[in-house]
Amino acid sequence: MPHRHDPCCQAVVLAGASGSRLHPLNSGGTPKVLLPVANRPLLSFPLRTLEEAGVAEVLVLCEGDAAASAVQHWLAGYSGALAVEAVRVTEGSSPVEALRGVRDRLRAPHVVLLSGDVVTEVPLQAQLLTHRLRGAAVTPLLARRRESAAAETKPGQAPKNVDYVGLTADDGLAFYLHSPDRARQLRIPQRVVDRVPSLTLRTDLTDMHVYVFQTEALRAVLAARQDLHSLEEGIAWRCAAFLAPEGAYCCRANSLQAYAEVNRDVLAGAPAASLLREAPNAKYENFVHSSVQMGSKAAVGAGCMIGEDVVLGDKSTVKRSVIGPNCRIGAGAKIINSVLMADVTVEDGAHVHGSILCNRAGVGAGASLRDCQVSPEFRVGEGADLRGEVLASSR
Amino acid sequence: MAPPSRKGGVGLETKEALSAIVLADSFTQKLRPVTLQRPKVLLPLVNTPMLDYTLEWLAINDVEEVHIFVCAHADAVQEHLKARGWLASRKFRVHVVVSTNCLSVGEALRVMDNRDVVKSDFILVAGDVVSNMNLRPALAAHLERRSSDKASIMTMVMRGGLSPAHIRRLGDMPTTVVMDPTSGRLFKFEEREEGGGGAEVDVARRRRRRRFVLDTTLFSERDSVQVRSDMVEASIYICAPEVLMLFSDNFDYQNVRKDFVSGVLSEEELGNKLFVHELRDEYAARVHNLRSYDAVSRDVLARWVYPFCPDTNLSSETEYQFRRGHVYMDSHVQLARQARVSHDSCIGAGSIISDGALVEASVVGANCVVGPGCVLRGAYLLDDVRLEAGVCVEAALLCDRVVVREGAAVRRGAVLSFDVVVGPGHELAEEDEADDFGQPPPSLVAAAASLAAGSIPETAVGFDTDVVGGLGAGFAWADDKDSARHSLFPSATGHAAGEEGESSDDEVNSAAGEAGTTDAEVAQAVGPMFKREVGETFLRCVKESIAHDNVVIELNGLKIAEDRTFADCARYMLTTMLGLCLPAPTSCRSEYRELYTHSAPEAGSREGLVELLQRASAQVRRWKALLQKFLRSEDDQVEVLLTLEEFCSAEGDYEATGEHGPVFAHIFAQLLKALYDEDILTEEAILQWAAEKSLAEEDEKVFLRKAQPFLSWLQDAEEESAGSGSEASSDGDEEEA
């Protein structure tokens, strides 16, 4: 698909640091944005979103030298249409501080700011158009929650961990509050109620951390509010909300669970399958690289991805899982609902269920893993039976 | 009044006749003095009595049975019903229920319940509602909800999509409605109070800080909730019979909006639900004051209430014709060649518009005479009004038989009640309050009648010639506080003209006295009473050394009974305990006098002040736990600070109470520090108070200046422990943005 180049728009990707919420996946030093999703770095998803919207120039803000150089290294092999540059920012700096660092490099009239872990099918182009048509200072992307907050809350209780989003009748954003705990009362400034004739407060939306800013407005806020800690505080001015179209896939891989889910979702057919931009094998609805060596009676189910040079032993079974390049799966081993990164070895008869195995991890023969996360190079002993554990070498 | 037993409940399955209760009395006095002589529902609105609009509307909605509840002017209403043929109407059966001793809607509905005439779901509507809405969809939705859930007892009709300016134009209070966008279930209905007069600046400031609080448990059963401020309630209710029973059960319910709706919404555990039916394209409005009289008249002229337009000629007596520019003219009007009738006007049968007269955006009733060269702009003339040559009437209401003599002018906002005569050449000042007869003794009427006829009465009667001019007949009507907001012509200044009323005759004053006290007056009287009660409760607790917990229970009870806030309790408690440091005030009851000290520390000397501060701190320390229980939020604390200011300057509630507040003015800053040290006031609250005060007038900043040393000390401390005060400062930024 040819993409129209849009000189009016720059993008800033907040790549963050190692991703402490993804422990132990990050213990090998891989920055969060380079963790594989369907055998490609997570970062490639937001980059493609930007590319398809016609954004030309992208700054990837990485916290710390290690992350910056790793991302820079990966970008060296990047062949897309974007001019991408990794920028190092101080470790532990907030998004606002990080943005202040690159303030002078923002020249285009509009800036897209997005988190490096966003995997979405929602066309950014549409969000950009909404932003421009509305003449908004900022336009955030709001997506529907998968599970309704009301469904998760008992009647008479206050919902927990929700975003209260106040929309005007024409989809302007008038109020936003992230409420991690069960707050009994929602305190809306009276002037919001006075100014907005019909304010709809919704709990079925969540902020996807994809924003389009008017550069001027962003600069002004960064300059005026030295004490601004999060961008949410800044959402007090002209805001338009862009609601993700119903059914469009939208997810952030910002927790272990979400990471595993994203891996599954992008392979599992509708609605997220089109994200991969490649069609699965028509007969088995899976992605198996041509170099894979299949043992006899080895079975690969639908919604699986098997990387280059993987060897599947005889009678091994793979279901709803991603297997990275150069993995070795022993005879009779079962891999279900799991993510295996590169060079993982699963020996004969081992069962891996709902787990994430990092690069070069190993599972001994006959071991059984369920809902575990295995850090890089960690070896699970033969015959071990583990459930819900984080396995990391005690280096 | 015991609730009547209803055996077998209400059968929705069997088809019952659709009935309506029409309240032909608004139980308010907003349109006085006009309503002293004619019931409001019979006042013509664009030359048709309001009650007829309501009844016609019920008729086109297939209502089969109408119970008209009449209280004041029962005879007049009955006569009207007979004259207009409503009693013999083939459209529906009309029952007139007369009960002349009711004072509120609540009482009227209790009477209706007692009579047990309504047995199925019914429509409750005020007799002054003008609407063209189609009731069927609303009714069908209501019945469907009722069949699935018996507790869906009422559907309120509201007009949505109105701008704040539009709402003000209708003379309504801005309301905030919280509802479910899909089902229309109502969760909260809040009328916003409006500050009057001088306190406006203060109110505006408070409003900026105010938050609209929403209970988040609403979101446990739905994903979205609407907060609407563009709705006006139309006083049309589709009710289940249970509504009447609820009125009987709760004998203190007076008003549907204020008492019933808020009562049902607050008693969630009873499970009764209210729903909103929103009107977008249809019209529904209530005429409840002069402002809405004007607005609704205009809407009728502009055909928003179609088919209820003058040219529909609902009554067979009229022959209105519709002309260009929303002009309606009866075929029996004598319009002189040189007279001009401009846009949005209606002229009734038998009226004469003379040469050179201009009628613009005005309604002229039947048999009026508009003299040569008169100018009418936004004027409402009822029947038989006589304007002599060169009269100018602007945005005023002139009732039946008013005579305005040659060259006189009636300016904006004036209301001339029945039989008033304005003397020649007299000019009724702009914004002059309504003048007319209060209930006049017969001789005055006779005098006015003869004046109107052109002869001078034999007996000299003392009319207010200041107001109506020489040879005029009429009195100033005592001003009502809300008049500026409700007047026919909205005033920009909010100026109230009550001075003339003061000097007027005794008769008028006594008539005003009969009119009873307004709500605002009652509220004002209640303020000091509540203060006194809190103070005395506290003193009793000190005297009988009652445990803290019990004090809390007592004060809570008081708070709930009076519908006050925690801050209200705290503020009066604090000032009472400070008072204990000094000799008893004169207003104190003798039994509590012993609690006070006998010797006052000398306010002039430093030692005296130190002594006073020590006593105050001791009191505060002693009752700290109690105070903290009532200061739940920063906002509460700011309230207390504002009260402390009033106390120290002997203003507001503390004006002329004999309390020795001003003594504390000398140690205001130290007192703040003491309260801060005892954790009664937080740093944020004090800084917030200071930030608010810094915007005030210079002369209001006395205490801010007094507190300045303490404030700067606080700010220094804050900078050291950076961050904790960020909220207060960010609030400030938001306001600027």
Side-chain angles (χ1 to χ4, degrees), chain B residues 573-622:
Chain B
M573 224 156 45
L574 178 67
T575 54
T576 311
M577 70 179 67
L578 289 178
L580 286 177
C581 309
L582 293 165
T586 45
S587 56
C588 177
R589 278 166 59 171
S590 55
E591 60 206 273
Y592 300 126
R593 284 191 171 267
E594 55 188 274
L595 297 173
Y596 288 84
T597 53
H598 301 291
S599 60
E602 204 191 324
S605 72
R606 195 183 154 74
E607 292 74 32
L609 289 179
V610 170
E611 161 90 37
L612 181 64
L613 181 63
Q614 277 165 357
R615 289 189 199 177
S617 318
Q619 286 289 352
V620 168
R621 199 168 307 129
R622 181 165 166 212

Coordinates of all heavy atoms in Angstrom, one line a residue, chain B residues 573-622:
Chain B
M573 N -20.1 25.3 66.0 CA -19.5 24.7 67.2 C -18.2 25.5 67.5 O -17.9 25.8 68.7 CB -19.2 23.3 66.9 CG -19.5 22.4 68.0 SD -19.8 20.7 67.4 CE -18.5 20.4 66.3
L574 N -17.4 25.7 66.5 CA -16.1 26.4 66.7 C -16.3 27.8 67.3 O -15.7 28.1 68.3 CB -15.4 26.5 65.4 CG -14.0 27.3 65.5 CD1 -13.0 26.5 66.3 CD2 -13.4 27.6 64.1
T575 N -17.3 28.5 66.8 CA -17.4 29.9 67.3 C -18.0 29.8 68.7 O -17.7 30.7 69.5 CB -18.3 30.7 66.4 OG1 -19.5 30.1 66.2 CG2 -17.7 31.0 65.1
T576 N -18.9 28.8 69.0 CA -19.4 28.7 70.3 C -18.3 28.4 71.3 O -18.2 29.0 72.4 CB -20.5 27.6 70.4 OG1 -21.4 27.8 69.4 CG2 -21.2 27.7 71.7
M577 N -17.4 27.5 70.9 CA -16.3 27.2 71.9 C -15.4 28.3 72.1 O -14.8 28.5 73.1 CB -15.6 25.9 71.5 CG -14.8 25.9 70.3 SD -14.0 24.3 70.0 CE -15.4 23.3 69.6
L578 N -15.2 29.1 71.0 CA -14.3 30.3 71.2 C -15.0 31.3 72.1 O -14.3 31.9 72.9 CB -14.0 30.9 69.8 CG -13.1 30.2 68.9 CD1 -13.0 30.9 67.6 CD2 -11.7 30.0 69.5
G579 N -16.3 31.4 72.0 CA -17.1 32.3 72.9 C -16.9 31.9 74.3 O -16.9 32.8 75.2
L580 N -16.6 30.6 74.6 CA -16.5 30.2 76.0 C -15.3 30.8 76.7 O -15.2 30.8 77.9 CB -16.3 28.6 76.0 CG -17.6 27.8 75.8 CD1 -17.3 26.4 75.8 CD2 -18.6 28.1 76.8
C581 N -14.3 31.3 75.9 CA -13.2 32.0 76.5 C -13.5 33.3 77.0 O -12.6 34.0 77.6 CB -12.1 32.1 75.4 SG -11.7 30.6 74.5
L582 N -14.7 33.8 76.8 CA -15.0 35.2 77.2 C -16.3 35.1 78.0 O -17.0 34.1 78.1 CB -15.2 36.0 75.9 CG -14.0 36.2 75.1 CD1 -14.3 36.7 73.7 CD2 -13.0 37.2 75.8
P583 N -16.7 36.2 78.6 CA -18.0 36.3 79.3 C -19.1 35.9 78.4 O -19.0 36.2 77.2 CB -18.0 37.7 79.8 CG -16.6 38.2 79.8 CD -15.9 37.5 78.8
A584 N -20.2 35.4 79.0 CA -21.3 35.0 78.2 C -21.9 36.1 77.4 O -22.0 37.2 77.9 CB -22.4 34.4 79.1
P585 N -22.3 35.9 76.1 CA -23.0 36.9 75.4 C -24.4 37.1 75.9 O -24.9 36.2 76.6 CB -23.0 36.4 74.0 CG -22.9 34.9 74.1 CD -22.1 34.7 75.4
T586 N -25.0 38.3 75.7 CA -26.3 38.6 76.2 C -27.4 37.6 75.7 O -28.3 37.3 76.5 CB -26.7 40.0 75.8 OG1 -26.4 40.1 74.4 CG2 -25.9 41.0 76.6
S587 N -27.2 37.1 74.6 CA -28.2 36.2 74.0 C -28.2 34.8 74.6 O -29.0 34.0 74.4 CB -28.0 36.1 72.5 OG -26.7 35.6 72.2
C588 N -27.2 34.5 75.5 CA -27.0 33.2 76.0 C -28.1 32.9 77.0 O -28.5 33.7 77.8 CB -25.7 33.1 76.6 SG -25.4 31.5 77.4
R589 N -28.6 31.6 77.0 CA -29.6 31.2 78.0 C -28.9 31.1 79.4 O -27.8 30.7 79.5 CB -30.2 29.9 77.6 CG -31.3 30.2 76.6 CD -31.8 29.0 75.9 NE -32.3 28.0 76.7 CZ -33.0 27.0 76.2 NH1 -33.1 26.8 74.9 NH2 -33.5 26.1 77.0
S590 N -29.7 31.4 80.4 CA -29.1 31.5 81.7 C -28.5 30.2 82.2 O -27.5 30.2 82.9 CB -30.2 31.9 82.7 OG -31.3 31.0 82.6
E591 N -29.1 29.1 81.8 CA -28.5 27.8 82.3 C -27.1 27.5 81.8 O -26.4 26.8 82.4 CB -29.5 26.7 81.9 CG -29.6 26.5 80.4 CD -30.9 25.9 80.0 OE1 -31.0 24.6 80.0 OE2 -31.9 26.6 79.8
Y592 N -26.7 28.2 80.7 CA -25.4 27.9 80.2 C -24.4 29.0 80.6 O -23.2 28.9 80.3 CB -25.4 27.8 78.7 CG -26.3 26.7 78.2 CD1 -27.3 26.9 77.3 CD2 -26.1 25.4 78.7 CE1 -28.1 25.8 76.9 CE2 -26.9 24.3 78.3 CZ -28.0 24.6 77.4 OH -28.8 23.6 77.0
R593 N -24.9 30.0 81.3 CA -24.0 31.2 81.6 C -22.8 30.8 82.4 O -21.7 31.3 82.2 CB -24.8 32.3 82.3 CG -25.7 33.0 81.4 CD -26.3 34.2 82.0 NE -26.9 35.0 81.0 CZ -26.3 35.9 80.3 NH1 -25.1 36.3 80.5 NH2 -27.0 36.5 79.3
E594 N -23.0 29.8 83.3 CA -21.9 29.4 84.2 C -20.7 28.8 83.4 O -19.6 28.7 83.9 CB -22.5 28.4 85.2 CG -23.1 27.2 84.5 CD -23.8 26.3 85.5 OE1 -23.1 25.4 86.0 OE2 -25.0 26.4 85.7
L595 N -21.0 28.3 82.2 CA -19.9 27.7 81.5 C -18.9 28.7 81.0 O -17.8 28.4 80.7 CB -20.5 27.0 80.2 CG -21.4 25.8 80.5 CD1 -22.0 25.3 79.3 CD2 -20.7 24.7 81.3
Y596 N -19.4 29.9 80.8 CA -18.5 31.0 80.3 C -17.6 31.5 81.4 O -17.9 31.3 82.6 CB -19.3 32.1 79.7 CG -20.0 31.7 78.4 CD1 -21.2 31.1 78.4 CD2 -19.4 32.1 77.2 CE1 -21.8 30.7 77.2 CE2 -20.0 31.7 76.0 CZ -21.2 31.1 76.0 OH -21.8 30.7 74.8
T597 N -16.5 32.1 81.0 CA -15.6 32.7 82.1 C -16.2 34.0 82.5 O -17.1 34.6 81.8 CB -14.2 33.0 81.5 OG1 -14.4 33.7 80.3 CG2 -13.5 31.7 81.3
H598 N -15.8 34.4 83.6 CA -16.4 35.7 84.1 C -15.6 36.9 83.8 O -16.0 38.0 83.6 CB -16.7 35.6 85.6 CG -17.6 34.4 85.9 ND1 -18.9 34.5 85.5 CD2 -17.4 33.2 86.5 CE1 -19.5 33.3 85.9 NE2 -18.6 32.5 86.4
S599 N -14.3 36.6 83.7 CA -13.4 37.7 83.5 C -12.9 37.7 82.0 O -12.6 36.7 81.5 CB -12.1 37.6 84.4 OG -11.5 36.4 84.1
A600 N -13.0 38.9 81.4 CA -12.5 39.0 80.1 C -11.0 39.4 80.1 O -10.7 40.3 80.9 CB -13.3 40.0 79.3
P601 N -10.2 38.7 79.3 CA -8.8 39.2 79.3 C -8.8 40.5 78.6 O -9.6 40.8 77.8 CB -8.1 38.1 78.4 CG -9.1 37.1 78.1 CD -10.4 37.6 78.4
E602 N -7.9 41.3 79.0 CA -7.9 42.7 78.5 C -7.4 42.7 77.0 O -6.3 42.2 76.8 CB -7.0 43.6 79.3 CG -7.4 45.0 79.2 CD -6.4 45.9 79.8 OE1 -5.8 45.6 80.9 OE2 -6.2 47.0 79.3
A603 N -8.3 43.1 76.1 CA -7.9 43.0 74.7 C -6.9 44.0 74.3 O -6.2 43.8 73.3 CB -9.2 43.2 73.9
G604 N -6.7 45.0 75.1 CA -5.8 46.1 74.7 C -4.3 45.6 74.9 O -3.4 46.0 74.1
S605 N -4.1 44.9 76.0 CA -2.7 44.6 76.3 C -2.2 43.3 75.7 O -3.0 42.4 75.4 CB -2.6 44.5 77.9 OG -3.2 43.3 78.3
R606 N -0.9 43.2 75.6 CA -0.3 42.0 75.1 C -0.6 40.8 76.0 O -0.9 39.7 75.5 CB 1.2 42.2 75.0 CG 1.9 41.2 74.1 CD 3.4 41.5 74.1 NE 4.0 40.2 73.8 CZ 4.0 39.7 72.6 NH1 3.5 40.3 71.6 NH2 4.6 38.5 72.4
E607 N -0.5 41.0 77.3 CA -0.7 39.9 78.2 C -2.1 39.3 78.0 O -2.4 38.1 78.0 CB -0.5 40.3 79.7 CG 0.9 40.6 80.0 CD 1.4 42.0 79.4 OE1 0.5 42.9 79.3 OE2 2.6 42.1 79.1
G608 N -3.1 40.3 77.9 CA -4.5 39.9 77.8 C -4.7 39.0 76.6 O -5.3 38.0 76.6
L609 N -4.0 39.4 75.5 CA -4.2 38.6 74.2 C -3.5 37.3 74.3 O -4.1 36.3 73.9 CB -3.6 39.4 73.1 CG -4.3 40.7 72.6 CD1 -3.6 41.3 71.5 CD2 -5.8 40.3 72.3
V610 N -2.4 37.2 75.0 CA -1.7 35.9 75.2 C -2.6 35.0 76.0 O -2.8 33.8 75.7 CB -0.4 36.1 75.9 CG1 0.2 34.8 76.3 CG2 0.6 36.8 75.0
E611 N -3.2 35.6 77.0 CA -4.1 34.8 77.9 C -5.3 34.3 77.1 O -5.7 33.1 77.1 CB -4.6 35.8 79.0 CG -5.9 35.4 79.7 CD -5.6 34.6 80.9 OE1 -4.6 34.8 81.6 OE2 -6.4 33.6 81.1
L612 N -5.8 35.2 76.2 CA -7.0 34.8 75.4 C -6.6 33.7 74.5 O -7.3 32.7 74.3 CB -7.5 36.0 74.6 CG -8.7 35.8 73.7 CD1 -9.9 35.5 74.5 CD2 -8.9 37.0 72.8
L613 N -5.4 33.8 73.9 CA -5.0 32.8 72.9 C -4.8 31.4 73.6 O -5.2 30.4 73.1 CB -3.7 33.2 72.3 CG -3.1 32.2 71.3 CD1 -4.1 32.1 70.1 CD2 -1.7 32.7 70.8
Q614 N -4.3 31.5 74.9 CA -4.1 30.3 75.6 C -5.4 29.6 75.9 O -5.6 28.4 75.7 CB -3.4 30.5 76.9 CG -1.9 30.6 76.7 CD -1.2 31.2 77.9 OE1 -1.8 31.7 78.9 NE2 0.2 31.2 77.8
R615 N -6.4 30.4 76.3 CA -7.7 29.8 76.6 C -8.3 29.2 75.3 O -8.9 28.1 75.3 CB -8.7 30.9 77.0 CG -8.4 31.4 78.4 CD -9.5 32.3 78.9 NE -9.1 33.2 80.0 CZ -9.9 34.1 80.5 NH1 -11.1 34.3 80.0 NH2 -9.5 34.8 81.5
A616 N -8.2 30.0 74.2 CA -8.8 29.5 72.9 C -8.1 28.2 72.5 O -8.8 27.2 72.2 CB -8.6 30.5 71.8
S617 N -6.8 28.1 72.6 CA -6.1 26.9 72.3 C -6.5 25.7 73.1 O -6.7 24.6 72.7 CB -4.6 27.0 72.4 OG -4.2 28.3 71.9
A618 N -6.7 26.0 74.4 CA -7.1 25.0 75.3 C -8.5 24.4 74.9 O -8.7 23.2 74.8 CB -7.2 25.5 76.7
Q619 N -9.4 25.3 74.6 CA -10.7 24.9 74.1 C -10.6 24.0 72.9 O -11.2 23.0 72.7 CB -11.6 26.1 73.8 CG -12.1 26.8 75.0 CD -13.2 26.1 75.8 OE1 -13.6 25.0 75.3 NE2 -13.5 26.5 76.9
V620 N -9.8 24.6 71.9 CA -9.7 23.9 70.6 C -9.1 22.5 70.9 O -9.5 21.5 70.3 CB -8.8 24.7 69.7 CG1 -8.5 23.9 68.5 CG2 -9.6 25.9 69.3
R621 N -8.1 22.4 71.7 CA -7.4 21.1 72.0 C -8.4 20.2 72.6 O -8.5 19.0 72.2 CB -6.2 21.4 72.9 CG -5.2 20.2 72.9 CD -4.0 20.6 73.6 NE -3.4 21.9 73.1 CZ -3.1 22.9 73.9 NH1 -3.2 22.8 75.2 NH2 -2.6 24.0 73.3
R622 N -9.2 20.7 73.5 CA -10.2 19.8 74.2 C -11.2 19.2 73.2 O -11.6 18.1 73.3 CB -10.9 20.7 75.2 CG -11.9 19.9 76.0 CD -12.3 20.6 77.3 NE -13.4 19.9 77.9 CZ -14.4 20.6 78.5 NH1 -14.3 21.9 78.7 NH2 -15.4 19.9 79.0

